[in-house]
Amino acid sequence: GAVVSQHPSWVICKSGTSVKIECRSLDFQATTMFWYRQFPKQSLMLMATSNEGSKATYEQGVEKDKFLINHASLTLSTLTVTSAHPEDSSFYICSARGTGTGVSPLHFGNGTRLTVT
Amino acid sequence: GNSVTQMEGPVTLSEEAFLTINCTYTATGYPSLFWYVQYPGEGLQLLLKATKADDKGSNKGFEATYRKETTSFHLEKGSVQVSDSAVYFCALFRAGNMLTFGGGTRLMVKP
């Protein structure tokens, strides 16, 4: 089945630094990728939707200058958390949807646990 | 707008017990419905899906039937195992390529 690889699986960084998270579709072309944030014991909150070659669409309340999303190719999207602060610590999950599909489920990466100290 | 409501957890069961996790939804038109499972420290995996009314999705002993009259998609399993311990998310899919998730239900199965 379709595989989405997310890297790194965990990262610890100091406050004020930036962190980049990669999301790759390994065996299909992902026209649309989604970035979610999950707080402990809570559901997934959609942060943004990105389409290859165009600007990401951010959900209300998500700072686009803080969470930079780049979807430069059909197999790669990146999320950069800029000037990270402890409140940005969370579990970030990407998902991807392929081309040529009708009603299809999204394929999820395994998530990245970010801890900002 | 679209919404999904799941029963709150945690649900704690003994091994081989019967499982039901309730899920109801609100949506216009005819959404597709999904159950995803999240094991500790991992992302989400699709467990099963149903795309139209009266469809039954099934996988790994889990089942859920798309009930339009009650706008429900309850997850069931006849005999749970310790390895089924995870968080389960009900979700609906509508135009715009977006999934709307329920709040998740944590299942704990004790040996």
Side-chain angles (χ1 to χ4, degrees), chain A residues 32 34 36 38 41-44 46 49 51 59 91 93 97 102-111 113, chain B residues 6 32 34 36 38 41-46 49 51 87 89 93 96-104 106:
Chain A
T32 306
F34 305 85
Y36 294 85
Q38 185 179 33
K41 298 184 179 181
Q42 294 188 26
S43 189
L44 283 71
L46 179 65
T49 303
N51 293 294
E59 295 299 302
F91 194 57
I93 304 175
R97 185 169 185 262
V103 175
S104 70
L106 301 181
H107 305 284
F108 287 83
N110 276 341
R113 183 162 303 285
Chain B
Q6 289 179 236
S32 295
F34 302 89
Y36 285 85
Q38 184 179 32
E42 298 184 13
L44 271 68
Q45 300 175 28
L46 176 67
K49 69 176 181 180
T51 58
V87 180
F89 292 94
F93 181 91
N97 299 329
M98 287 176 59
L99 278 173
T100 301
F101 286 96
R106 183 176 300 276

Side-chain angles (χ1 to χ4, degrees), chain A residues 19-23 35-36 47 58 66-70 77-81 92:
Chain A
V19 174
K20 180 183 285 188
I21 302 170
E22 293 186 347
C23 180
W35 288 95
Y36 294 85
M47 298 175 66
Y58 290 81
K66 181 167 188 62
F67 298 100
L68 301 179
I69 292 172
N70 184 283
S77 176
T78 60
L79 167 67
T80 302
V81 182
Y92 293 88

Side-chain angles (χ1 to χ4, degrees), chain B residues 16-80:
Chain B
E16 299 184 1
F18 184 86
L19 168 71
T20 299
I21 300 178
N22 290 338
C23 171
T24 57
Y25 68 90
T26 302
T28 56
Y30 302 92
S32 295
L33 302 172
F34 302 89
W35 277 100
Y36 285 85
V37 57
Q38 184 179 32
Y39 297 103
E42 298 184 13
L44 271 68
Q45 300 175 28
L46 176 67
L47 181 59
L48 53 84
K49 69 176 181 180
T51 58
K52 62 182 186 296
D54 299 325
D55 267 3
K56 176 186 283 187
S58 60
N59 185 27
K60 300 180 181 179
F62 291 90
E63 294 183 339
T65 301
Y66 189 146
R67 301 287 188 197
K68 188 164 176 59
E69 64 274 15
T70 55
T71 61
S72 64
F73 193 54
H74 304 322
L75 182 68
E76 297 181 336
K77 186 174 185 181
S79 176
V80 294

